[in-house]
Amino acid sequence: TPDELSAVPANRIAYAQLCDASGSTPQLDDLPREARGDRLALGHGVIPLADYLNVIPDGTQLVIETPVALEMHLPIRQRLQLTADASSTFFRENGYA
């Protein structure tokens, strides 16, 4: 939770890896599939990303991870553009841009 994250000492947070996800929790056997393709673009799922960003230390490096299964058939440039557009919208709507 954001409260738990805010209790972590700042010097213990090297970076933050961001992704969004649906509201369903995968079974243990489904975790590899979920990790490889069932993530969502920032702001397209239920993870309270803005709440997490509000408590991580300023200057923390952000890594965006969005292997979206429905986009895997698209060319890499198009997938990159979709991720960039969704991320820009998310950060702008949450007052980070």
Side-chain angles (χ1 to χ4, degrees):
T1 67
D3 287 339
E4 293 168 323
L5 182 58
S6 68
V8 176
N11 66 347
R12 300 291 308 224
I13 300 175
Y15 67 95
Q17 185 171 326
L18 304 177
C19 70
D20 218 333
S22 68
S24 63
T25 302
Q27 297 296 315
L28 184 60
D29 290 345
D30 292 331
L31 285 176
R33 179 190 51 76
E34 191 270 342
R36 291 184 196 116
D38 284 347
R39 306 296 171 96
L40 299 174
L42 304 185
H44 291 197
V46 300
I47 297 175
L49 295 170
D51 294 340
Y52 288 125
L53 289 171
N54 286 333
V55 298
I56 63 171
D58 287 342
T60 300
Q61 180 179 346
L62 301 178
V63 178
I64 298 171
E65 179 195 38
T66 55
V68 179
L70 294 176
E71 297 173 359
M72 292 301 178
H73 69 284
L74 300 174
I76 187 68
R77 288 183 187 267
Q78 189 173 358
R79 293 187 346 233
L80 288 169
Q81 190 63 58
L82 289 168
T83 297
D85 292 346
S87 299
S88 293
T89 298
F90 169 80
F91 288 118
R92 186 176 53 258
E93 288 178 351
N94 288 282
Y96 295 103

